[in-house]
């Protein structure tokens, strides 16, 4: 018990010595939570737009004028954004649009998982797109709006 307490106190002391490495100013506050990959945070802005922030330096790598309506997702070298029934994939390194696909209804979740992009809408539908090109692979009617992002595992969602 004493060893656990000593380790906990050492951890708290270490956390107290964290120092700020960088600070980035954004034009407007974030609209939702960002998406991350190993080197970049993709932050949707409340006033519209998406910025890619370098996690090592705190510099802005690129900015897109897209106005994501929901939290973005990232994976496989792409960043996925959705607004007004359209899903777009941007190159993670440049922000250039690679593909876009229309889906019915207002989208509420967007999740990349192992080369799949899972999209749910306000009507309670769940769709799976091939993340590399936006091709619709399947769509299912769930009958209720998802309140959290779906999770994929092996060959199931």
């Amino acid at each position: 018990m004493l060893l656990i307490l000593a380790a906990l106190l050492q951890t708290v002391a270490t956390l107290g010595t964290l120092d700020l490495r960088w600070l980035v100013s954004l034009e407007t506050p974030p609209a939702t939570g960002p998406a991350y990959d190993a080197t970049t945070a993709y932050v949707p802005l409340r006033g519209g737009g998406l910025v890619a922030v370098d996690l090592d330096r705190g510099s802005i790598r690129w900015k897109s004028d897209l106005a994501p309506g929901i939290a973005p997702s990232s994976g496989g070298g792409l960043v996925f954004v959705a607004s007004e029934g359209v899903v777009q994939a941007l190159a993670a390194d440049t922000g250039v649009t690679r593909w876009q696909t229309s889906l019915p209804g207002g989208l509420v979740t967007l999740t990349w998982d192992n080369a799949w992009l899972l999209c749910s809408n306000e009507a309670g539908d769940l769709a799976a797109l091939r993340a590399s090109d936006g091709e619709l692979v399947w769509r299912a009617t769930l009958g209720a709006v998802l309140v959290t992002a779906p999770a994929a595992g092996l060959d199931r969602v």
Side-chain angles (χ1 to χ4, degrees), residues 1 7 17 19 26 41 48 56 65 76 85 91 93 105 107 126 133 141:
M1 178 74 162
T17 61
D19 60 325
L26 302 173
D56 289 327
D65 291 334
D93 56 349
L107 295 171
L126 179 64
D133 61 10
T141 299

mmCIF file of all heavy atoms in Angstrom, residues 1 7 17 19 26 41 48 56 65 76 85 91 93 105 107 126 133 141:
data_model
loop_
_atom_site.group_PDB
_atom_site.id
_atom_site.type_symbol
_atom_site.label_atom_id
_atom_site.label_comp_id
_atom_site.label_asym_id
_atom_site.label_seq_id
_atom_site.Cartn_x
_atom_site.Cartn_y
_atom_site.Cartn_z
ATOM 1 N N MET A 1 0.825 -1.189 0.000
ATOM 2 C CA MET A 1 0.000 0.000 0.000
ATOM 3 C C MET A 1 0.866 1.250 0.000
ATOM 4 O O MET A 1 0.596 2.179 -0.721
ATOM 5 C CB MET A 1 -0.928 -0.047 1.219
ATOM 6 C CG MET A 1 -1.798 1.148 1.347
ATOM 7 S SD MET A 1 -3.096 1.073 0.130
ATOM 8 C CE MET A 1 -4.226 2.202 0.795
ATOM 9 N N ALA A 7 4.322 5.711 -5.429
ATOM 10 C CA ALA A 7 4.324 5.769 -6.895
ATOM 11 C C ALA A 7 3.300 6.789 -7.383
ATOM 12 O O ALA A 7 3.555 7.542 -8.330
ATOM 13 C CB ALA A 7 4.027 4.392 -7.474
ATOM 14 N N THR A 17 5.076 18.979 -13.424
ATOM 15 C CA THR A 17 6.225 19.609 -14.074
ATOM 16 C C THR A 17 6.099 19.641 -15.589
ATOM 17 O O THR A 17 7.069 19.925 -16.273
ATOM 18 C CB THR A 17 7.533 18.891 -13.693
ATOM 19 O OG1 THR A 17 7.455 17.536 -14.142
ATOM 20 C CG2 THR A 17 7.759 18.934 -12.198
ATOM 21 N N ASP A 19 5.507 21.022 -19.149
ATOM 22 C CA ASP A 19 5.636 22.380 -19.652
ATOM 23 C C ASP A 19 5.052 22.471 -21.055
ATOM 24 O O ASP A 19 5.017 21.504 -21.792
ATOM 25 C CB ASP A 19 7.099 22.837 -19.627
ATOM 26 C CG ASP A 19 8.006 21.968 -20.477
ATOM 27 O OD1 ASP A 19 7.777 20.742 -20.542
ATOM 28 O OD2 ASP A 19 8.922 22.503 -21.087
ATOM 29 N N LEU A 26 -6.166 29.917 -33.268
ATOM 30 C CA LEU A 26 -7.088 29.610 -34.354
ATOM 31 C C LEU A 26 -7.979 30.813 -34.612
ATOM 32 O O LEU A 26 -8.224 31.616 -33.717
ATOM 33 C CB LEU A 26 -7.939 28.384 -33.993
ATOM 34 C CG LEU A 26 -7.165 27.111 -33.686
ATOM 35 C CD1 LEU A 26 -8.108 26.018 -33.189
ATOM 36 C CD2 LEU A 26 -6.400 26.642 -34.913
ATOM 37 N N ALA A 41 -3.401 17.029 -35.867
ATOM 38 C CA ALA A 41 -4.774 17.175 -35.378
ATOM 39 C C ALA A 41 -5.548 17.916 -36.463
ATOM 40 O O ALA A 41 -5.075 18.927 -36.993
ATOM 41 C CB ALA A 41 -4.804 17.963 -34.082
ATOM 42 N N GLY A 48 -16.433 27.907 -39.657
ATOM 43 C CA GLY A 48 -16.280 27.226 -40.941
ATOM 44 C C GLY A 48 -14.819 27.000 -41.245
ATOM 45 O O GLY A 48 -13.968 27.820 -40.905
ATOM 46 N N ASP A 56 3.894 18.175 -33.551
ATOM 47 C CA ASP A 56 5.255 18.376 -33.053
ATOM 48 C C ASP A 56 5.598 19.847 -32.894
ATOM 49 O O ASP A 56 6.246 20.242 -31.928
ATOM 50 C CB ASP A 56 6.277 17.723 -33.995
ATOM 51 C CG ASP A 56 6.227 16.209 -33.936
ATOM 52 O OD1 ASP A 56 5.933 15.669 -32.846
ATOM 53 O OD2 ASP A 56 6.475 15.571 -34.970
ATOM 54 N N ASP A 65 -11.514 25.264 -46.686
ATOM 55 C CA ASP A 65 -12.718 26.071 -46.472
ATOM 56 C C ASP A 65 -13.952 25.229 -46.183
ATOM 57 O O ASP A 65 -15.025 25.763 -45.930
ATOM 58 C CB ASP A 65 -12.984 26.947 -47.703
ATOM 59 C CG ASP A 65 -11.940 28.037 -47.850
ATOM 60 O OD1 ASP A 65 -11.352 28.440 -46.828
ATOM 61 O OD2 ASP A 65 -11.696 28.472 -48.991
ATOM 62 N N GLY A 76 -5.663 5.979 -42.820
ATOM 63 C CA GLY A 76 -5.218 5.582 -44.148
ATOM 64 C C GLY A 76 -4.701 6.732 -44.986
ATOM 65 O O GLY A 76 -4.823 6.699 -46.209
ATOM 66 N N GLY A 85 -25.133 15.956 -46.006
ATOM 67 C CA GLY A 85 -25.311 14.771 -46.833
ATOM 68 C C GLY A 85 -24.172 14.451 -47.774
ATOM 69 O O GLY A 85 -24.312 13.606 -48.648
ATOM 70 N N ALA A 91 -6.714 14.560 -48.629
ATOM 71 C CA ALA A 91 -5.375 14.032 -48.395
ATOM 72 C C ALA A 91 -4.870 14.611 -47.080
ATOM 73 O O ALA A 91 -4.910 15.825 -46.873
ATOM 74 C CB ALA A 91 -4.444 14.405 -49.539
ATOM 75 N N ASP A 93 -1.932 15.000 -45.928
ATOM 76 C CA ASP A 93 -0.723 15.833 -46.000
ATOM 77 C C ASP A 93 -0.937 17.179 -46.675
ATOM 78 O O ASP A 93 -0.205 18.121 -46.412
ATOM 79 C CB ASP A 93 0.417 15.074 -46.673
ATOM 80 C CG ASP A 93 0.062 14.571 -48.059
ATOM 81 O OD1 ASP A 93 -1.127 14.607 -48.446
ATOM 82 O OD2 ASP A 93 0.978 14.120 -48.774
ATOM 83 N N GLY A 105 -29.789 12.299 -46.005
ATOM 84 C CA GLY A 105 -29.997 12.692 -44.617
ATOM 85 C C GLY A 105 -28.800 13.386 -44.004
ATOM 86 O O GLY A 105 -27.689 13.323 -44.525
ATOM 87 N N LEU A 107 -25.848 13.698 -41.625
ATOM 88 C CA LEU A 107 -24.971 12.729 -40.986
ATOM 89 C C LEU A 107 -24.717 13.097 -39.529
ATOM 90 O O LEU A 107 -24.591 14.274 -39.194
ATOM 91 C CB LEU A 107 -23.657 12.623 -41.750
ATOM 92 C CG LEU A 107 -23.820 12.069 -43.166
ATOM 93 C CD1 LEU A 107 -22.534 12.196 -43.953
ATOM 94 C CD2 LEU A 107 -24.263 10.627 -43.144
ATOM 95 N N LEU A 126 -27.203 3.284 -41.256
ATOM 96 C CA LEU A 126 -25.760 3.132 -41.126
ATOM 97 C C LEU A 126 -25.228 2.667 -42.467
ATOM 98 O O LEU A 126 -25.751 1.723 -43.056
ATOM 99 C CB LEU A 126 -25.415 2.106 -40.039
ATOM 100 C CG LEU A 126 -23.938 1.824 -39.807
ATOM 101 C CD1 LEU A 126 -23.223 3.080 -39.307
ATOM 102 C CD2 LEU A 126 -23.775 0.692 -38.800
ATOM 103 N N ASP A 133 -11.930 5.102 -51.822
ATOM 104 C CA ASP A 133 -12.557 5.767 -52.968
ATOM 105 C C ASP A 133 -13.987 6.237 -52.736
ATOM 106 O O ASP A 133 -14.616 6.801 -53.630
ATOM 107 C CB ASP A 133 -12.504 4.860 -54.189
ATOM 108 C CG ASP A 133 -13.232 3.535 -54.007
ATOM 109 O OD1 ASP A 133 -13.952 3.360 -52.995
ATOM 110 O OD2 ASP A 133 -13.081 2.659 -54.879
ATOM 111 N N THR A 141 -30.715 -0.149 -42.346
ATOM 112 C CA THR A 141 -31.629 0.691 -41.581
ATOM 113 C C THR A 141 -31.667 0.165 -40.158
ATOM 114 O O THR A 141 -32.039 -0.985 -39.929
ATOM 115 C CB THR A 141 -33.038 0.665 -42.201
ATOM 116 O OG1 THR A 141 -32.945 1.165 -43.531
ATOM 117 C CG2 THR A 141 -34.013 1.508 -41.396
#
